[in-house]
Amino acid sequence: QQLLVESGGGLVQAGGSLRLSCVTSGLTFSTYAMAWFRQSPGKERQFVGTISGNGGTTYYVDSVKGRFTISRDNAKNTVYLQMRSLKPEDTAVYFCAAAPRLMSTMTRGDARYWGQGTQVTVSS
């Protein structure tokens, strides 16, 4: 059974930083592109960024470029989302997802497996 578990969310002031982690099990981690999505109440789940299986390629949505960094440790079956210069509009539940191939942008249907999400709240 494939399992993705996010952690690291919380409450932070605007301008602050958080690092999210997503530990996976039950999948051949290095063969999957990993992605982060986020969802605010009443809004569609939004693509944030993705990283290739070997970690050499990343793509981000424009609104987080230069502030967010995705990395992975294939030895630990873990993907990370480092978030800096956080803004109130970054407030959302953040989900990690595993996808069979790397895409420069993704929709919800492009991911095969999902975590349960972790809440990030940025106060102004």
Side-chain angles (χ1 to χ4, degrees):
Q1 180 181 357
Q2 294 75 25
L3 192 63
L4 288 69
V5 181
E6 301 95 334
S7 63
L11 174 64
V12 63
Q13 288 189 332
S17 300
L18 278 176
R19 189 176 83 151
L20 307 183
S21 300
C22 172
V23 179
T24 73
S25 60
L27 67 160
T28 308
F29 184 69
S30 63
T31 68
Y32 283 87
M34 297 299 296
W36 289 93
F37 286 72
R38 64 187 180 186
Q39 189 167 16
S40 304
K43 295 188 177 181
E44 294 289 322
R45 193 166 295 188
Q46 178 194 29
F47 170 76
V48 173
T50 187
I51 187 168
S52 60
N54 65 6
T57 303
T58 54
Y59 297 105
Y60 301 94
V61 69
D62 285 347
S63 59
V64 308
K65 283 180 181 176
R67 300 189 299 122
F68 291 11
T69 303
I70 299 175
S71 61
R72 64 190 295 160
D73 185 338
N74 285 352
K76 296 182 178 179
N77 295 335
T78 301
V79 62
Y80 305 97
L81 178 64
Q82 177 69 54
M83 304 184 292
R84 298 181 176 88
S85 301
L86 282 161
K87 306 175 181 179
E89 51 263 43
D90 294 318
T91 294
V93 177
Y94 283 71
F95 299 87
C96 71
R101 62 188 184 99
L102 181 70
M103 302 171 69
S104 60
T105 187
M106 295 174 61
T107 64
R108 189 168 181 168
D110 295 319
R112 182 170 293 176
Y113 305 114
W114 290 92
Q116 83 290 346
T118 186
Q119 177 70 48
V120 172
T121 303
V122 184
S123 63
S124 57

